Amino acid sequence: MSAVGRHSRILRTVVEPVPDAGQDDDLATALYREFGRPLLAFVITLTGGDRLWAEDVVQETLIRAWRNADKLDREPEMLRAWLHTVARRIVIDGWRSRRARPQEVEEPDANSVGVPDESDRTLAAMMLYEALQTLSAEHREAVLQTYLHGRTVNEAAETLGVPPGTVKSRIYHAVRALRRSLRERG
């Protein structure tokens, strides 16, 4: 069947009065089959990718088309434009209503109010401190100057009174030793 024939058959179903309940289902099915997927793709972009909301909008749009079947234009492009306009208005109303009312939140249970737990950070700091103690004094000082005091290699070299290359070498070997030490500690 040609596209024109198919459209006119579907549009006849959409526009002609429905004598019994069986044809109500045919009308709804025809609307969804013909316009559901393209309309859903259009509405997903309007809803910012919220597929569930988009499906609700498509359903509401097709219900409105079904309710207004006797008033719809028979031209497929006019019907498509009408559906897109209705869907866009439903989405706009949804955005407005979401902005108008505050977001719902549950009251926290007084017995379950959490206190931030710093035990993991404290444990990690203790393990790092112990691992630093295993380094030689030169390596430990190079790590302290660069990583903990935030100095550049050149600034650390000036503070320690050694060439920058020496600081780089000490940091390299110190970091490798720290990794080994921390890996052994788990």
Coordinates of all heavy atoms in Angstrom, one line a residue, residues 121-166:
R121 N 40.2 8.4 56.3 CA 41.3 9.4 56.1 C 42.4 9.3 57.2 O 43.6 9.4 56.9 CB 40.7 10.8 56.1 CG 40.4 11.3 54.7 CD 39.9 12.7 54.8 NE 40.9 13.6 54.3 CZ 40.7 14.9 54.2 NH1 39.6 15.4 54.6 NH2 41.7 15.7 53.8
T122 N 42.0 9.2 58.4 CA 42.9 9.1 59.5 C 43.8 7.9 59.4 O 45.0 8.0 59.5 CB 42.2 9.1 60.8 OG1 41.3 10.3 60.9 CG2 43.1 9.1 62.0
L123 N 43.2 6.8 59.0 CA 43.9 5.5 58.9 C 44.9 5.7 57.7 O 46.1 5.2 57.8 CB 43.0 4.4 58.6 CG 43.6 3.0 58.5 CD1 44.4 2.6 59.8 CD2 42.5 2.0 58.2
A124 N 44.5 6.2 56.6 CA 45.4 6.4 55.5 C 46.6 7.3 55.8 O 47.7 7.1 55.4 CB 44.6 7.0 54.3
A125 N 46.3 8.4 56.6 CA 47.4 9.3 57.0 C 48.3 8.6 57.9 O 49.6 8.8 57.8 CB 46.8 10.5 57.7
M126 N 47.9 7.8 58.8 CA 48.7 7.0 59.7 C 49.6 6.1 58.9 O 50.8 5.9 59.2 CB 47.9 6.3 60.7 CG 47.3 7.2 61.8 SD 46.1 6.4 62.9 CE 47.0 4.9 63.5
M127 N 49.0 5.4 57.9 CA 49.8 4.4 57.1 C 50.9 5.2 56.3 O 52.0 4.7 56.2 CB 48.9 3.6 56.2 CG 48.0 2.6 56.9 SD 46.9 1.7 55.9 CE 48.0 0.9 54.8
L128 N 50.5 6.4 55.8 CA 51.5 7.1 55.0 C 52.6 7.6 55.9 O 53.8 7.6 55.5 CB 50.8 8.3 54.3 CG 51.6 9.2 53.4 CD1 52.2 8.3 52.3 CD2 50.8 10.3 52.8
Y129 N 52.3 8.1 57.1 CA 53.3 8.5 58.1 C 54.3 7.4 58.4 O 55.5 7.6 58.3 CB 52.6 9.0 59.3 CG 53.6 9.4 60.4 CD1 54.3 10.7 60.3 CD2 53.9 8.6 61.5 CE1 55.2 11.1 61.2 CE2 54.9 9.0 62.4 CZ 55.5 10.2 62.3 OH 56.4 10.6 63.2
E130 N 53.8 6.2 58.6 CA 54.6 5.0 58.9 C 55.5 4.7 57.7 O 56.7 4.4 57.8 CB 53.8 3.8 59.3 CG 53.2 3.9 60.7 CD 52.2 2.8 61.0 OE1 52.2 1.8 60.2 OE2 51.6 2.8 62.0
A131 N 54.9 4.8 56.5 CA 55.7 4.5 55.3 C 56.8 5.6 55.1 O 57.9 5.2 54.6 CB 54.8 4.4 54.1
L132 N 56.5 6.8 55.4 CA 57.5 7.9 55.2 C 58.7 7.6 56.2 O 59.8 8.0 55.9 CB 56.9 9.3 55.5 CG 56.1 9.9 54.4 CD1 55.3 11.1 54.9 CD2 57.0 10.3 53.2
Q133 N 58.4 7.0 57.3 CA 59.5 6.8 58.3 C 60.5 5.7 57.8 O 61.6 5.7 58.3 CB 58.9 6.4 59.7 CG 58.0 7.4 60.3 CD 58.6 8.8 60.4 OE1 59.7 9.0 60.8 NE2 57.8 9.8 59.9
T134 N 60.0 4.9 56.8 CA 60.9 3.9 56.3 C 61.9 4.5 55.3 O 62.9 3.8 54.9 CB 60.1 2.8 55.6 OG1 59.4 3.3 54.5 CG2 59.2 2.1 56.6
L135 N 61.7 5.7 54.8 CA 62.6 6.3 53.8 C 63.8 6.9 54.5 O 63.8 7.2 55.7 CB 61.8 7.5 53.1 CG 60.6 7.1 52.3 CD1 60.0 8.4 51.7 CD2 60.9 6.2 51.2
S136 N 64.9 7.1 53.7 CA 66.1 7.7 54.2 C 65.7 9.2 54.4 O 64.7 9.7 53.9 CB 67.2 7.6 53.2 OG 66.9 8.4 52.0
A137 N 66.5 9.9 55.2 CA 66.3 11.3 55.6 C 66.3 12.2 54.3 O 65.4 13.1 54.2 CB 67.3 11.8 56.6
E138 N 67.2 11.9 53.4 CA 67.2 12.7 52.1 C 66.0 12.5 51.3 O 65.4 13.5 50.8 CB 68.5 12.3 51.3 CG 69.8 12.7 51.9 CD 70.3 11.6 52.9 OE1 69.7 10.5 52.8 OE2 71.2 11.9 53.7
H139 N 65.5 11.3 51.1 CA 64.3 11.0 50.3 C 63.1 11.6 51.0 O 62.2 12.2 50.4 CB 64.2 9.5 50.1 CG 65.2 8.9 49.2 ND1 65.7 7.6 49.3 CD2 65.7 9.4 48.1 CE1 66.5 7.4 48.3 NE2 66.6 8.5 47.6
R140 N 63.0 11.4 52.3 CA 61.8 11.9 53.1 C 61.8 13.4 52.9 O 60.7 14.0 52.7 CB 61.9 11.5 54.5 CG 60.7 11.9 55.3 CD 60.7 11.3 56.8 NE 61.9 11.4 57.5 CZ 62.7 10.3 57.7 NH1 62.3 9.1 57.4 NH2 63.8 10.4 58.4
E141 N 62.9 14.1 53.1 CA 62.9 15.6 53.0 C 62.5 16.0 51.6 O 61.8 17.0 51.4 CB 64.3 16.1 53.4 CG 64.3 17.6 53.6 CD 63.4 18.1 54.7 OE1 63.1 17.3 55.7 OE2 62.8 19.2 54.5
A142 N 62.9 15.3 50.5 CA 62.6 15.7 49.2 C 61.1 15.6 49.0 O 60.4 16.5 48.4 CB 63.3 14.8 48.2
V143 N 60.5 14.5 49.5 CA 59.0 14.3 49.4 C 58.3 15.4 50.2 O 57.3 16.0 49.7 CB 58.6 12.9 49.9 CG1 57.1 12.8 50.0 CG2 59.1 11.8 48.9
L144 N 58.8 15.7 51.4 CA 58.1 16.7 52.2 C 58.1 18.1 51.6 O 57.1 18.8 51.6 CB 58.8 16.7 53.6 CG 58.5 15.5 54.5 CD1 59.4 15.7 55.8 CD2 57.1 15.4 54.9
Q145 N 59.3 18.4 51.0 CA 59.4 19.7 50.4 C 58.5 19.9 49.1 O 57.9 20.9 48.9 CB 60.9 20.0 50.0 CG 61.8 20.2 51.1 CD 61.5 21.4 51.9 OE1 61.2 22.5 51.4 NE2 61.5 21.3 53.2
T146 N 58.4 18.8 48.3 CA 57.7 19.0 47.1 C 56.2 18.6 47.3 O 55.3 19.4 46.9 CB 58.3 18.0 46.0 OG1 58.3 16.7 46.5 CG2 59.6 18.5 45.6
Y147 N 55.9 17.5 47.8 CA 54.5 17.1 47.9 C 53.7 17.7 49.1 O 52.6 18.2 48.9 CB 54.4 15.5 48.1 CG 54.6 14.8 46.8 CD1 55.9 14.3 46.5 CD2 53.6 14.7 45.8 CE1 56.1 13.6 45.3 CE2 53.8 14.0 44.6 CZ 55.1 13.5 44.4 OH 55.3 12.8 43.2
L148 N 54.3 17.8 50.2 CA 53.6 18.3 51.4 C 53.7 19.8 51.5 O 52.7 20.5 51.9 CB 54.1 17.6 52.7 CG 53.8 16.1 52.7 CD1 54.4 15.5 54.0 CD2 52.4 15.8 52.5
H149 N 54.8 20.4 51.2 CA 54.9 21.9 51.3 C 54.6 22.6 49.9 O 54.6 23.8 49.9 CB 56.4 22.3 51.7 CG 56.7 21.8 53.1 ND1 56.1 22.4 54.2 CD2 57.6 20.9 53.6 CE1 56.6 21.8 55.3 NE2 57.5 20.9 54.9
G150 N 54.4 21.8 48.9 CA 54.0 22.3 47.6 C 55.0 23.1 46.9 O 54.7 24.0 46.1
R151 N 56.3 22.9 47.1 CA 57.3 23.6 46.4 C 57.7 22.9 45.1 O 57.5 21.7 44.9 CB 58.6 23.6 47.3 CG 58.4 24.5 48.5 CD 59.7 24.7 49.2 NE 59.4 25.7 50.3 CZ 59.6 25.3 51.6 NH1 59.9 24.1 52.0 NH2 59.3 26.2 52.5
T152 N 58.1 23.7 44.1 CA 58.6 23.2 42.9 C 59.9 22.5 43.1 O 60.6 22.6 44.2 CB 58.8 24.3 41.8 OG1 59.8 25.2 42.2 CG2 57.5 25.0 41.6
V153 N 60.4 21.7 42.1 CA 61.7 21.1 42.2 C 62.8 22.1 42.4 O 63.7 21.9 43.3 CB 61.9 20.2 41.0 CG1 63.4 19.6 40.9 CG2 60.9 19.0 40.9
N154 N 62.7 23.2 41.7 CA 63.8 24.2 41.8 C 63.8 24.8 43.2 O 64.8 25.1 43.8 CB 63.6 25.3 40.8 CG 64.0 24.7 39.4 OD1 64.7 23.8 39.3 ND2 63.5 25.4 38.4
E155 N 62.6 25.1 43.8 CA 62.5 25.7 45.1 C 63.0 24.7 46.2 O 63.7 25.1 47.1 CB 61.0 26.1 45.4 CG 60.5 27.2 44.6 CD 59.0 27.5 44.7 OE1 58.3 26.5 45.2 OE2 58.6 28.5 44.3
A156 N 62.6 23.4 46.0 CA 63.1 22.4 46.9 C 64.6 22.3 46.9 O 65.3 22.1 47.9 CB 62.4 21.1 46.7
A157 N 65.1 22.3 45.7 CA 66.6 22.2 45.5 C 67.3 23.3 46.2 O 68.3 23.2 46.9 CB 66.9 22.2 44.0
E158 N 66.8 24.6 46.1 CA 67.3 25.7 46.7 C 67.3 25.6 48.2 O 68.2 25.8 49.0 CB 66.6 27.0 46.3 CG 67.3 28.3 46.7 CD 66.6 29.5 46.2 OE1 66.3 29.5 44.9 OE2 66.3 30.4 47.0
T159 N 66.1 25.1 48.8 CA 65.9 24.9 50.2 C 66.9 23.9 50.8 O 67.5 24.0 51.8 CB 64.5 24.5 50.5 OG1 63.6 25.5 50.0 CG2 64.3 24.4 52.0
L160 N 67.0 22.8 50.0 CA 67.9 21.6 50.5 C 69.3 21.8 50.2 O 70.2 21.1 50.7 CB 67.4 20.3 49.8 CG 66.0 19.9 50.2 CD1 65.5 18.7 49.4 CD2 65.9 19.6 51.7
G161 N 69.6 22.8 49.3 CA 71.0 23.1 48.9 C 71.6 22.0 48.0 O 72.8 21.7 48.1
V162 N 70.8 21.4 47.1 CA 71.3 20.4 46.2 C 70.8 20.8 44.8 O 69.9 21.6 44.7 CB 70.8 19.0 46.6 CG1 71.4 18.5 47.9 CG2 69.3 18.9 46.6
P163 N 71.4 20.2 43.7 CA 70.9 20.5 42.4 C 69.5 20.0 42.1 O 69.1 19.0 42.8 CB 71.9 19.8 41.5 CG 73.1 19.4 42.4 CD 72.6 19.4 43.8
P164 N 68.8 20.6 41.2 CA 67.4 20.1 40.9 C 67.3 18.7 40.5 O 66.4 17.9 40.8 CB 66.9 21.1 39.8 CG 67.7 22.3 40.0 CD 69.1 21.8 40.5
G165 N 68.3 18.2 39.7 CA 68.3 16.8 39.2 C 68.4 15.9 40.4 O 67.8 14.8 40.4
T166 N 69.1 16.2 41.5 CA 69.2 15.4 42.7 C 67.8 15.3 43.3 O 67.4 14.2 43.8 CB 70.3 15.9 43.6 OG1 71.5 16.0 43.0 CG2 70.4 15.1 44.9

